[in-house]
Structure formats: C-alpha cells, structure tokens
Amino acid sequence: MSTVIYPSVLSGSVASPGSKSYMQRLLLCAALSDDECEIVCSNLCDDVMRMIGCQRAIGADIEISGDTVRVKSIENT
C-alpha cells in the first residue's frame, strides 16, 4: 500500500495544552510560518517571555494583548 501526500493550504485552529514547553514550540513554529498566527495562552511565564524576547531579537514581530499573542513570520516582517 502506498500513500501520496500533496501540498495544500491548511487553516483552522488548534487548542494547545497549558505547557510552557509546548508554548515555546508553538511560538517557534509561528515565527517560521508563512502567515500571521494568533495564539491564546494563559501561561505567559518568564520562560515564554524570554523566548518571545529572543524571537523579537531575530526579527519576529510579536504583539501581546491579554492572553493573546500575535506572531508575524520572521520572513514577513
């Protein structure tokens, strides 16, 4: 049995668990994506804020409003 996977555009939303490690990975993926991403997270701890600082230092445009984090791709800034 063989499977063929074709490139396509994906959209939608994903609920992420309240883990700082998952949030850091999510931020990294968002910064490397082609589009702006919106992440809702109630766990903006010190580690997550440091990751945001690092991403801003390399060119990511990240805005925080309450528990919503908007990330524009590093390439699109």
Side-chain angles (χ1 to χ4, degrees):
M1 178 177 171
S2 67
T3 302
V4 179
I5 300 173
Y6 297 99
S8 64
V9 176
L10 300 176
S11 65
S13 61
V14 177
S16 118
S19 162
K20 67 181 177 185
S21 295
Y22 287 153
M23 180 61 180
Q24 290 174 335
R25 291 179 193 135
L26 210 80
L27 285 166
L28 195 54
C29 290
L32 296 173
S33 74
D34 291 333
D35 294 317
E36 182 176 327
C37 296
E38 184 176 289
I39 303 166
V40 177
C41 175
S42 59
N43 187 17
L44 294 177
C45 64
D46 189 51
D47 289 350
V48 171
M49 294 306 294
R50 288 181 188 269
M51 171 65 89
I52 289 171
C54 290
Q55 289 182 314
R56 284 177 171 157
I58 60 172
D61 182 10
I62 301 176
E63 298 174 11
I64 302 170
S65 177
D67 62 352
T68 301
V69 180
R70 284 192 178 80
V71 183
K72 290 184 183 174
S73 168
I74 291 171
E75 293 181 7
N76 292 332
T77 57

